[in-house]
C-alpha cells in the first residue's frame, strides 16, 4: 500500500492546531450564579466617633460572566434588597429603611453593575462598577480575591468560585448626608463581601 507522505505530514503538523481549537482547549466565558445561601455583605460606619456600627444586607441575588482561563470578567450584577438591612437593633434598622438613609419604599433595590476588571496578581483583581442607590449611580472599585475554584465537595457538587471583596465609599456621594455635619454618623462606609458562585451547566 502506497503512502502519500505529503498528506501524512500535513495531517501530523495540523493536528496540534486542531487540538488547540477544540472546545476543551479554548478558553470560554461561563455564567456564574451567586449562591444566596453562601453570601455575606458587611458594612461598617462610625457612630459619633465612639465605635463603628456594623450591619449587613440579608437578601441578594446576582450573576456574572467570567472566563477563568483567560481571567476576564466580561459582565456581572449584584442586586440587594434595601429593606433587608440588619444591624441587630430594630429601631435603628427602621431608621435606616427610612428617608434619612436608604428610602426603601421608593428605592427597594441597590445594584452594582460591573463595567471593568483588571487583574493585579495571581488570584486578585480590581472590579470597577456602577453602584446605584437612592436613584443615583456612581463608580465604585472593589478589591477582589478569588479564594478557591473547584467542584463543590458535597451538596450541589457544582463547579464553584469562592470570592472575597472590599471597598470604601462616601455615602454623601449618593446624597445620603444625614448626621454628617453634626458628626453623629460617619460619611465613609466600609463594605466587605464574601460569597460563593456556582457555574451554570
Amino acid at each position: 500500500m502506497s503512502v502519500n507522505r505529503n498528506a501524512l505530514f500535513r495531517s501530523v503538523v495540523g493536528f496540534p492546531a486542531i487540538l488547540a481549537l477544540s472546545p476543551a482547549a479554548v478558553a470560554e466565558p461561563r455564567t456564574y450564579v451567586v449562591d444566596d445561601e453562601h453570601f455575606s455583605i458587611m458594612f461598617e460606619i462610625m457612630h459619633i466617633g465612639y465605635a463603628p456600627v456594623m450591619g449587613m444586607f440579608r437578601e441578594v441575588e446576582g450573576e456574572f460572566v467570567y472566563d477563568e482561563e483567560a481571567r476576564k470578567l466580561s459582565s456581572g450584577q449584584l442586586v440587594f434588597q434595601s429593606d433587608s438591612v440588619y444591624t441587630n437593633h430594630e429601631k435603628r434598622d427602621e431608621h435606616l429603611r427610612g428617608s434619612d438613609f436608604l428610602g426603601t419604599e421608593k428605592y427597594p433595590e441597590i445594584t452594582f453593575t460591573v463595567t471593568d476588571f483588571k487583574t493585579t496578581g495571581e488570584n486578585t483583581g480590581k472590579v470597577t462598577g456602577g453602584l446605584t442607590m437612592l436613584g443615583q449611580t456612581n463608580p465604585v472599585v472593589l478589591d477582589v480575591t478569588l479564594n478557591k475554584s473547584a467542584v463543590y465537595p458535597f451538596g450541589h457538587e457544582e463547579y464553584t468560585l469562592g470570592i472575597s471583596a472590599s471597598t470604601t465609599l462616601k455615602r454623601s456621594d449618593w446624597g445620603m448626608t444625614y448626621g454628617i455635619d453634626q458628626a453623629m454618623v460617619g460619611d465613609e462606609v466600609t463594605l466587605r463581601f464574601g460569597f460563593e458562585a456556582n457555574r451554570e451547566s
Side-chain angles (χ1 to χ4, degrees), residues 53-65:
V53 170
M54 300 178 188
M56 63 188 301
F57 290 93
R58 297 191 289 187
E59 295 181 25
V60 64
E61 60 183 11
E63 65 179 40
F64 55 91
V65 178

Side-chain angles (χ1 to χ4, degrees), residues 30 55 91 124:
R30 301 294 295 273
K91 288 186 176 180
T124 59

Side-chain angles (χ1 to χ4, degrees), residues 7 23 25 32 35 47 61 72 88 97-98 119 125 141 159 182 194:
Y32 292 82
D35 184 347
H47 180 243
E61 60 183 11
K72 291 183 178 180
N88 198 33
R97 295 185 184 103
T119 58
V141 180
Y159 192 83
Q182 301 82 11

Side-chain angles (χ1 to χ4, degrees), residues 83-159:
D83 65 358
S84 71
V85 66
Y86 176 77
T87 65
N88 198 33
H89 190 287
E90 186 175 347
K91 288 186 176 180
R92 180 169 57 218
D93 292 348
E94 290 177 359
H95 191 190
L96 289 174
R97 295 185 184 103
S99 59
D100 287 335
F101 291 98
L102 296 171
T104 61
E105 288 191 8
K106 186 175 182 180
Y107 306 105
E109 294 182 343
I110 299 170
T111 63
F112 177 79
T113 304
V114 173
T115 57
D116 190 27
F117 173 68
K118 294 181 180 179
T119 58
T120 58
E122 184 176 349
N123 65 330
T124 59
K126 289 185 179 293
V127 175
T128 301
L131 180 65
T132 302
M133 181 169 60
L134 297 175
Q136 300 183 43
T137 303
N138 290 305
V140 170
V141 180
L142 301 176
D143 292 311
V144 176
T145 300
L146 176 60
N147 302 313
K148 184 176 181 178
S149 57
V151 174
Y152 217 67
F154 52 84
H156 55 69
E157 297 183 344
E158 297 176 355
Y159 192 83

